[in-house]
């Protein structure tokens, strides 16, 4: 019985398909299928029922997966602790992060870390969807905002503010609102992954007030929102880590109202039932130090203070 066959079997179960497991492992589908068949021959039982529509575990497969997942977890922990004692960080590391934050800030922070620790093989997934850390086999994810999932362990890395921004040209043509209620007289750019009410919720005198505006554009990426605002399409609520350079060079300005947008956290999150390896701890500390406190993207004028 080969260890790579057991790892492949667990990857199939966690990823949900042979195709997804092949993508995760970086091998061809035929290799994954062959390893599974070889493993089933070794144990003398069918572990996974294949059909044209879906895969499902047999009774023997469910039992074998429980033991295999536990065994691989303990094996990885042992390897990690040995490496930690030898002061060398090595092995695979799978991290998920939002697209804009990953491109603008996470990537530049990661590259020095990888040069310093060449034994680490990083698999970085930049995607705005909410990944399943346990089911998809991630060691860590970067999440921004509230953390409702209590099954995860989180470390706050840095803070971020949402800012209401517009181009100088848009404000010169349409005027500058000063009250939350005045947003209804303007066109806006919305982030399509979040309900509009959650994007335009302001704190004012101890209560919450929600603004509304006519939608000029909905898009699921913060960089596209920033560029649309620079082009003068309307107002937009965008995190400071996306617009900081456009604010610094005057392509965008902050629109201050009689209400305040919330501050949110940027978190490193980890599966609760997984050993926090030395490389994960080291990366977390490195990221916190790289971003700074306050972060280098912090807006220093008006409501950003």
């Amino acid at each position: 019985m080969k260890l790579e066959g057991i790892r492949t079997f667990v990857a199939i179960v966690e990823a949900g398909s042979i195709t997804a497991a092949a993508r995760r492992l970086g091998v061809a589908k035929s290799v994954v299928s062959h390893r599974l068949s070889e493993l089933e021959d070794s144990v003398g039982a069918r572990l996974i029922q294949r059909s044209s529509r879906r895969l499902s575990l047999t009774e023997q497969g469910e039992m074998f997966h429980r033991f295999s997942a536990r065994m691989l977890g303990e094996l990885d922990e042992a390897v990690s602790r040995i490496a930690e004692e030898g002061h060398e960080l090595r092995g695979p590391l799978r991290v998920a992060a939002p697209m804009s934050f990953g491109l603008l800030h996470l990537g530049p922070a990661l590259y020095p870390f990888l040069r310093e620790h060449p034994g680490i093989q990083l698999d970085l997934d930049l995607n705005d969807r909410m990944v399943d850390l346990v089911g998809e086999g991630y060691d860590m994810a970067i999440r921004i905002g509230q953390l409702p999932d209590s099954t995860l362990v989180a470390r706050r890395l840095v803070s971020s503010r949402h800012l209401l921004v517009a181009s100088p040209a848009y404000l010169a043509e349409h005027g500058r609102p000063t009250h939350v209620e005045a947003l209804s007289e303007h066109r806006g750019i919305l982030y399509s992954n979040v309900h509009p009410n959650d994007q335009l919720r302001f704190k004012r005198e101890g209560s919450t007030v929600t603004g509304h505006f006519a939608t000029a554009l909905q898009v699921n990426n913060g960089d596209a929102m920033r560029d649309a605002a620079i082009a003068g399409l309307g107002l937009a609520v965008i995190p400071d880590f996306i617009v900081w350079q456009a604010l610094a060079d005057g392509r965008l300005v902050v629109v201050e109202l009689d209400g305040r947008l919330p501050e949110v956290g940027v978190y490193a999150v980890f599966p609760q039932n997984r050993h926090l390896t030395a490389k994960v701890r080291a990366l977390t500390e490195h990221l916190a130090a790289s971003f700074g406190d306050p972060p280098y993207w912090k807006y220093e004028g008006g409501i950003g203070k």
Side-chain angles (χ1 to χ4, degrees):
M1 189 182 303
K2 297 179 180 178
L3 182 61
E4 68 178 12
I6 299 174
R7 287 195 181 277
T8 299
F9 168 69
V10 172
I12 294 171
V13 176
E14 292 181 347
S17 71
I18 289 176
T19 300
R23 189 182 309 117
R24 177 188 295 188
L25 297 170
V27 299
K29 287 172 56 179
S30 58
V31 173
V32 173
S33 297
H34 175 74
R35 289 178 182 175
L36 175 60
S37 297
E38 195 173 50
L39 178 65
E40 290 178 327
D41 289 342
S42 296
V43 300
R46 176 63 65 91
L47 302 175
I48 295 179
Q49 293 287 2
R50 291 83 142 174
S51 71
S52 58
R53 293 186 176 182
R54 60 189 296 269
L55 300 179
S56 60
L57 285 173
T58 64
E59 184 177 346
Q60 293 92 338
E62 290 179 357
M63 178 186 65
F64 192 76
H65 176 255
R66 286 196 302 272
F67 283 97
S68 297
R70 186 187 313 157
M71 180 201 73
L72 291 177
E74 292 178 352
L75 177 61
D76 290 342
E77 180 176 347
V79 172
S80 175
R81 290 190 177 185
I82 291 172
E84 185 174 356
E85 290 175 1
H87 305 290
E88 181 181 4
L89 303 179
R90 60 186 306 107
L93 182 61
R94 196 157 190 251
V95 179
M99 178 69 72
S100 293
F101 188 82
L103 292 173
L104 293 171
H105 304 288
L106 182 62
L110 281 172
Y111 305 145
F113 179 81
L114 294 175
R115 286 196 300 269
E116 184 180 352
H117 304 288
I120 290 178
Q121 299 101 45
L122 179 67
D123 179 356
L124 178 61
D125 182 0
L126 298 182
N127 199 308
D128 287 342
R129 71 184 180 89
M130 188 73 73
V131 301
D132 177 0
L133 267 73
V134 176
E136 298 180 57
Y138 289 96
D139 297 293
M140 183 173 85
I142 303 299
R143 289 190 179 166
I144 301 169
Q146 304 299 317
L147 297 179
D149 190 347
S150 61
T151 65
L152 301 176
V153 178
R155 157 78 187 274
R156 189 182 184 99
L157 298 175
V158 70
S159 295
S160 170
R161 288 205 61 80
H162 284 83
L163 302 172
L164 180 66
V165 299
S167 70
Y170 175 87
L171 296 177
E173 181 179 353
H174 299 281
R176 182 189 293 260
T178 57
H179 301 278
V180 175
E181 289 79 6
L183 292 178
S184 61
E185 303 170 10
H186 290 264
R187 291 170 63 78
I189 302 154
L190 291 171
Y191 183 54
S192 58
N193 286 346
V194 177
H195 193 279
N197 289 349
D198 293 332
Q199 298 176 59
L200 298 173
R201 189 170 287 134
F202 296 79
K203 290 290 185 182
R204 186 172 64 187
E205 298 178 352
S207 61
T208 300
V209 57
T210 302
H212 304 277
F213 46 45
T215 303
L217 172 70
Q218 290 191 77
V219 62
N220 66 347
N221 178 264
D223 297 275
M225 292 178 66
R226 176 201 59 212
D227 293 345
I230 292 171
L233 293 188
L235 300 164
V237 172
I238 309 178
D240 52 3
F241 63 78
I242 293 178
V243 297
W244 65 298
Q245 289 183 320
L247 293 173
D249 61 28
R251 290 175 294 162
L252 291 174
V253 296
V254 173
V255 178
E256 300 183 32
L257 304 180
D258 58 345
R260 184 179 177 87
L261 288 162
E263 183 177 279
V264 297
V266 179
Y267 297 90
V269 297
F270 324 97
Q272 190 176 54
N273 60 349
R274 188 172 299 170
H275 171 66
L276 204 59
T277 61
K279 58 193 172 189
V280 172
R281 291 198 303 271
L283 176 56
T284 303
E285 295 299 329
H286 171 82
L287 293 178
S290 297
F291 300 146
D293 185 21
Y296 58 82
W297 60 73
K298 180 179 174 65
Y299 173 67
E300 296 292 351
I303 62 173
K305 289 184 178 178

